[in-house]
Each structure stands twice: as C-alpha cells, then as structure tokens.
Amino acid sequence: MKIGAPKEIFEGEARVAMTPDSALQLQKLGYQCAVETGAGAAAGFSDAAYEAAGVEIIKTAAALWKEVDIIAKVRQPNATEMKRLTADKTLISFFNPAGNEEGMEAAKKAGANVIAMEMVPRISRAQKMDALSSMANIAGYRAVIEAGNNFGRFFTGQITAAGKVPPAKVLIVGAGVAGLAAIGTSTSLGAITYAFDVRPEVAEQVESMGAQFVYLDFEEEQTDGAATGGYASVSSPEFREAQLAKFRELAPEMDIVITTALIPNREAPKLWLADMVAAMKPGSVIVDLAAEKGGNVEGTVKDEKVVTDNGVTIIGYTDFPSRMAAQSSTLYATNIRHMMTDLTPEKDGQINHDMEDDVIRGATVTYAGEITFPPPPPKVQAIAAKSKEKPKELTPEEKRAQEVAAFKAQTKQQVSLLAIGGALLLLVGLYAPASFMQHFIVFVLAVFVGFQVIWNVSHSLHTPLMAVTNAISSIIILGALMQIGSGSFIVILLAALSVFMAGINIFGGFLVTRRMLAMFQKS
C-alpha cells in the first residue's frame, strides 16, 4: 500500500504530516511513500530531501489523493478534500469529530476509514501517538519564547556594573502538557515562575520543575484528571470566585502571564479579566493559548497581538506549533508513524484496522461505512472511578480489633519461622563440623537481620538502598582476592567469579545510587 501527505491548504499552516525521516521508517513497515510537490517546503523539507529518502513526488493534490491508499494530514480536511475520499482509502488527520458532523457524514457516505489523531486515548501505551500532547508541548514552549520576544527585560535576574536587574515573574495558568512545557522553559530561562491549576494533584509536578504552585484557600472535590482523559473539570461558581480573587492578588506582581485553560468542545473559560489586565504593570505580556476558543483573557483577539491602554501586550496567536514547523512536523510525523506501526503488526505494508485494539478503536471516527464516534470510554475511566470509591469508615473499636488481629497474626508467623529455623540449625549441627557452624550461624543471622531491615523500608527507597548496600557488602571481594592465588584450579575459578560479580555490585551499586540522587538535583 502507498501512504501520502498532501500540502496543507489551511491558511498559514506550515506543518507537514510526513518528513524524510518518518518516510524511511514507514518504508520499513512495507509502505511506499509519496508527498505532493512542495508539501514540506514551509517546514524546511525540500522535495530533494524527500527523493533522497525514497519518497515519490506527485505534482498535484488531486493526483496524490487518487494514487495513494492512506492519506496523512495535519489539519482537518475541507469539503473539497473530503470529496476525494473513497471506500478503499484511510485518512489519518486531526478531524475534530465532535464539531465536524458534516465531515463524518461525508466519510460515511464515501465508505472511507478515518482516524482522528486528537482522539488517541490518553493512556500510557498510546503516549507515542498522542499528537495533541506533542503539539501542546511545542505551543507551551513557543508561548514563553513569544512572551520573551515582546517583554522588554531579562527573564533571569542579573547584577551588572550598571545596577541590579530583578528576575521576571511569570504565572502559568493551567498545568497540563502546554503548561508544564511553559513552566520548564520559563524556569530554565531564570524567571521566578508560578503556576496554578484546578487539580491540586499536579502541585508536585509543578514544584519538581522549580516553579511555585499557587494554592487556593478553598476546599472543593475536583474530578480526577485520569477519569476525564487528563483534562480538568468544570469548577463550581464558588471555586471560580476564589480563583479570580487569587488572580487579582497576583496580577500587579506578574510580568508575564500565560493561560492554557481549555476544556474540549467548550468555549474557553474567562480567567484573566479586564480589571486584572488593568492592574498589571506597563510592559507586561499575556499569552493566551486558548485564543482559538475565545480565549482565557478578556481583550484577546484571535490571531492578533494587541496592546492595551496601560501598555500590556496580549498575544492571541493560534499557530504556535506552525511557528516551529520543522520541530512540529517532526513530532507529528513520528506520531503518525507510531500509529502506522500499530496498524501494521505484520510489517507487510498492509493495514490491519483492528477495532478490538483500544487505541485504534478510540481514534477511529468512521469505519466500514459507519460512524464510530464517540468511542467507548477508555478503560482508565473505569479504573479511576473505582479508585475514588471511599473505604468504609471504621469505629475506633473496629480499628483496634483489626490492629490486634494483625499483630497476633504477625507474631504467630514470626514464632513459626523462628521455630522452623531453629530446628533446621539443630539438624545441620548434628552433621556439620563446629568451624562450619560458627560461620553458618553468622550468615543466617546476617540474612535474617538484613531481611528485616529491608522489609521495613518504603518501596520508593528500595532501589537506592539496595544499590548502595550491594556496593558496601561487596567487601567480600577481599576474600576472593586472597583466594585467587590458590593452587587449586577450582578455587581460582570460584575466586575469579566472585571478583567479577562483586565488581559488578561495587561499580553498579554506586552508579545506580548516583543516578537516583541526580534525579533530585536541579541542573
């Protein structure tokens, strides 16, 4: 089968769904590859680069749609492109099925199979195909760069001969994929970064990246993001008022504000109101990543940059990924390639559209002349819902009874193990020499004490603890080195093996410990 990528016709779109590198990987799956002339030019991929990768160059979009079996696109196809679909074709693209009923009906009428990249379930196995996250990551990074381009001062604080320059203060509203990317970029540039999200469980992620999480003095049970595909839920009016009050408090201090709050298939919530914009210092910058759905900021104009009367710049661009077309195309083409890998388990260049596969089924919008949207809920929803069931509250007497029963069971188990161990030691002592028993008892006690120590350590500390314990315990290498000069070949062989294994423990133990500690160090 042949897979092709046409030139995007959406105004201002510079991305392309296939790059020379991704084409090489697709060919390994058994596919022939084709692109329309100039499809990758805006992203920096020339026709010559495609030809060097073994990709066929087709002159017109109409010819490409006719020749290929699988069409890979970035933007939602328009009515003209939908008319080119036939029953033997598969379309892989952003499709916006929730707001594109006309497109789904056209695909159903044509009998074509459509896979919507934004519908890839947000589960661990599908992360490599999650095009929404790939593009949001770029948008978050680019938002900070765009803010810096319009901000008149340094991000990082500096002390110069001319005086002291304070660091910029940046607030990121929303700690999803785009928000976390913005946080990482802002902190790496040296700004004092604050972040807010309606999901308090993301506070640890925010703080681990060097930012300060903005807490509200308000208690409200929020819907778990895992149960809603990773998105925040709609907040209550009381929570919203507390949130706005906190933003009004922060507005005069912030130099840059980046808003990312967007709930699928809804208008963007207004979070940064006109009075907050008016309270900001002249020269401050706001980047509204939700501008496509009306914006989180009052005063945002879609696809434009405006300057308010008090000198605050509000950026409402909706093409941040396209402003980094080479990087965006590379990531998106990789998402497409991974999707094709799952669709081609035999690597024979033939699609196996397995509707029993959770990822493929979740992303499929139309199949075999039928509309399959919306897909069934991902299994992670059921797991998340189950985990939120609260355990039954126990009375103090019931808790005490449980503790006593557990203590008795543990004591009984330990006494049984000691009795069995003592009997085995006596049995060995009947036949073994005294010199052997002396060392054997020390060995058994060391194993027992070591087991008790490790068993009572938190699981999260097992890896570093075991690593450094292995390294230290490898002092036995001294005994092996003393025996390696023996006259017996068997003793020499065993001593050499001991040195080898102890060496792995020593170097490997310290190496693993060092890597674990490095994870908690800020570079």
Side-chain angles (χ1 to χ4, degrees):
M1 299 180 78
K2 183 183 290 188
I3 180 170
K7 185 176 181 179
E8 296 296 323
I9 59 177
F10 188 88
E11 185 179 356
E13 182 57 68
R15 291 171 291 177
V16 63
M18 184 190 297
T19 65
D21 286 341
S22 73
L24 291 172
Q25 300 300 319
L26 290 169
Q27 288 167 29
K28 291 179 182 179
L29 295 175
Y31 292 101
Q32 297 176 351
C33 298
V35 295
E36 182 186 351
T37 301
F45 304 110
S46 65
D47 289 349
Y50 282 109
E51 288 179 327
V55 179
E56 180 185 355
I57 307 299
I58 299 178
K59 289 186 177 181
T60 65
L64 182 134
W65 281 75
K66 184 177 181 180
E67 289 188 29
V68 303
D69 305 290
I70 306 153
I71 300 95
K73 273 183 55 60
V74 179
R75 289 281 188 169
Q76 173 185 327
N78 63 12
T80 301
E81 290 175 315
M82 291 302 298
K83 289 178 182 178
R84 294 169 176 162
L85 280 177
T86 56
D88 59 342
K89 297 191 186 301
T90 297
L91 171 66
I92 304 176
S93 172
F94 281 114
F95 199 76
N96 186 29
N100 189 18
E101 187 174 348
E102 184 179 344
M104 287 193 293
E105 288 293 340
K108 174 185 176 181
K109 183 178 179 180
N113 300 334
V114 175
I115 293 176
M117 290 302 291
E118 67 265 58
M119 292 302 299
V120 171
R122 285 192 161 179
I123 58 177
S124 297
R125 184 170 72 84
Q127 286 181 351
K128 60 188 177 182
M129 307 171 226
D130 190 352
L132 276 180
S133 293
S134 296
M135 299 302 103
N137 181 35
I138 291 174
Y141 170 86
R142 181 69 189 194
V144 177
I145 301 303
E146 204 70 43
N149 189 46
N150 287 272
F151 185 56
R153 295 194 288 108
F154 292 131
F155 267 69
T156 186
Q158 292 190 10
I159 297 177
T160 70
K164 183 179 178 181
V165 179
K169 291 185 177 181
V170 179
L171 173 65
I172 315 293
V173 180
V177 177
L180 290 173
I183 291 167
T185 308
S186 176
T187 55
S188 66
L189 290 173
I192 298 175
T193 307
Y194 301 85
F196 172 82
D197 197 283
V198 297
R199 301 164 296 170
E201 63 267 22
V202 304
E204 289 185 6
Q205 299 178 47
V206 168
E207 290 167 355
S208 70
M209 299 182 73
Q212 300 177 44
F213 190 78
V214 176
Y215 290 95
L216 294 184
D217 187 16
F218 183 90
E219 291 186 4
E220 177 180 274
E221 184 177 351
Q222 296 293 321
T223 301
D224 189 349
T228 56
Y231 294 100
S233 60
V234 180
S235 303
S236 68
E238 294 78 12
F239 184 90
R240 174 176 167 78
E241 288 305 316
Q243 177 179 290
L244 294 179
K246 175 60 72 172
F247 290 164
R248 288 190 178 95
E249 178 186 329
L250 293 173
E253 303 177 24
M254 295 300 122
D255 298 301
I256 294 171
V257 175
I258 297 173
T259 63
T260 69
L262 195 60
I263 300 173
N265 305 316
R266 293 176 180 266
E267 285 297 306
K270 295 296 181 185
L271 302 178
W272 205 260
L273 307 183
D275 62 307
M276 303 172 194
V277 177
M280 295 180 73
K281 299 185 290 287
S284 301
V285 179
I286 301 174
V287 180
D288 192 344
L289 290 180
E292 192 167 359
K293 290 293 183 179
N296 299 135
V297 182
E298 286 188 345
T300 294
V301 179
K302 183 179 177 181
D303 292 320
E304 291 186 21
K305 177 175 71 176
V306 297
V307 180
T308 64
D309 294 338
N310 63 319
V312 176
T313 301
I314 303 176
I315 298 173
Y317 301 151
T318 60
D319 61 345
F320 286 107
S322 196
R323 288 170 180 260
M324 299 182 67
Q327 185 68 75
S328 300
S329 298
T330 298
L331 293 182
Y332 182 70
T334 301
N335 296 142
I336 295 281
R337 190 256 297 176
H338 283 303
M339 175 62 76
M340 293 304 301
T341 300
D342 272 29
L343 287 166
T344 321
E346 302 299 326
K347 298 183 179 180
D348 56 357
Q350 298 295 319
I351 281 185
N352 178 17
H353 203 121
D354 182 8
M355 292 294 277
E356 297 300 318
D357 184 287
D358 289 338
V359 177
I360 295 173
R361 173 65 187 90
T364 301
V365 174
T366 62
Y367 178 72
E370 296 294 333
I371 294 175
T372 59
F373 176 85
K379 293 177 181 177
V380 68
Q381 266 193 324
I383 296 170
K386 187 182 293 184
S387 67
K388 289 182 74 65
E389 294 179 4
K390 295 183 178 179
K392 180 184 176 182
E393 290 290 337
L394 299 177
T395 64
E397 293 77 13
E398 290 174 331
K399 290 181 180 179
R400 177 63 180 168
Q402 281 189 354
E403 291 172 358
V404 171
F407 177 76
K408 287 181 178 179
Q410 185 179 9
T411 303
K412 183 179 179 180
Q413 183 183 21
Q414 289 178 344
V415 170
S416 300
L417 289 174
L418 286 172
I420 294 171
L424 290 174
L425 279 176
L426 288 173
L427 183 63
V428 173
L430 290 174
Y431 301 98
S435 59
F436 171 81
M437 286 303 299
Q438 181 181 359
H439 295 296
F440 183 67
I441 290 173
V442 172
F443 170 75
V444 170
L445 289 175
V447 170
F448 177 76
V449 172
F451 175 79
Q452 290 297 322
V453 170
I454 298 299
W455 187 259
N456 292 310
V457 171
S458 171
H459 290 287
S460 61
L461 297 176
H462 275 183
T463 299
L465 176 65
M466 291 299 294
V468 76
T469 303
N470 283 346
I472 295 171
S473 66
S474 292
I475 194 71
I476 60 172
I477 196 173
L478 295 177
L481 289 172
M482 292 175 65
Q483 296 296 326
I484 206 165
S486 172
S488 170
F489 174 75
I490 295 178
V491 173
I492 293 174
L493 178 61
L494 292 175
L497 287 174
S498 298
V499 170
F500 174 71
M501 289 185 284
I504 292 176
N505 269 352
I506 292 172
F507 296 109
F510 283 123
L511 180 62
V512 170
T513 304
R514 182 177 178 180
R515 290 186 64 181
M516 290 291 295
L517 293 175
M519 292 172 62
F520 300 96
Q521 294 175 350
K522 184 177 178 182
S523 57

